[in-house]
């Protein structure tokens, strides 16, 4: 059995997680998907802000057991990557 088989079967057995806007970014251009696996919480952050392109900005395991807020250092990293995604989009996909 390959390492990803439990993940594949697990996701077939239930509804996929629903994306929601990441609160720190005011609006719906930066979204987050949260999922739990074996007692740990994982998050994937992406943006649909740019025409015809989806950029995955960050994916990480949430370490803190208290509160649901995304840690500031993670928000700072996402902001930097969002700026780089805009630069990349402007250079390669601008109409």
């Amino acid at each position: 059995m390959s390492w990803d088989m439990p993940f594949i079967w697990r996701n077939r057995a239930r509804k996929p997680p629903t994306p929601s806007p990441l609160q720190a970014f005011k609006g719906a251009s930066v979204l987050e998907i949260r999922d739990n696996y074996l007692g740990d919480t994982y998050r994937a952050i992406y943006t649909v802000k740019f025409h015809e392109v989806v950029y995955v900005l960050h994916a990480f395991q949430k370490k803190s057991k208290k509160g649901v807020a995304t840690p500031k250092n993670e928000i700072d990293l996402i902001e930097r990557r969002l700026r780089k995604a805009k630069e990349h989009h402007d250079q390669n996909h601008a109409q």
Side-chain angles (χ1 to χ4, degrees), residues 1-10 12 37:
M1 177 186 297
S2 71
W3 67 272
D4 58 345
M5 286 302 287
F7 178 76
I8 290 169
W9 286 109
R10 180 176 160 272
R12 286 185 184 165
Y37 183 68

Side-chain angles (χ1 to χ4, degrees), residues 9-93:
W9 286 109
R10 180 176 160 272
N11 282 330
R12 286 185 184 165
R14 67 180 187 91
K15 190 172 111 176
T18 303
S20 61
L22 188 60
Q23 297 299 316
F25 288 88
K26 311 279 191 262
S29 65
V30 177
L31 302 168
E32 125 179 278
I33 296 175
R34 295 179 187 183
D35 202 8
N36 296 310
Y37 183 68
L38 297 177
D40 294 317
T41 300
Y42 297 87
R43 295 181 178 185
I45 313 297
Y46 65 98
T47 185
V48 293
K49 183 176 183 173
F50 308 107
H51 183 70
E52 295 186 358
V53 181
V54 174
Y55 289 96
V56 176
L57 303 172
H58 193 30
F60 61 100
Q61 177 184 357
K62 185 166 183 318
K63 302 286 185 173
S64 174
K65 297 298 181 189
K66 59 181 182 178
V68 295
T70 304
K72 179 161 178 20
N73 64 319
E74 304 290 356
I75 294 295
D76 293 343
L77 177 62
I78 294 164
E79 287 174 341
R80 287 193 306 273
R81 289 182 176 172
L82 183 59
R83 283 191 300 272
K84 287 188 177 267
K86 180 180 182 338
E87 290 172 12
H88 180 270
H89 184 268
D90 290 349
Q91 292 173 2
N92 297 287
H93 301 282

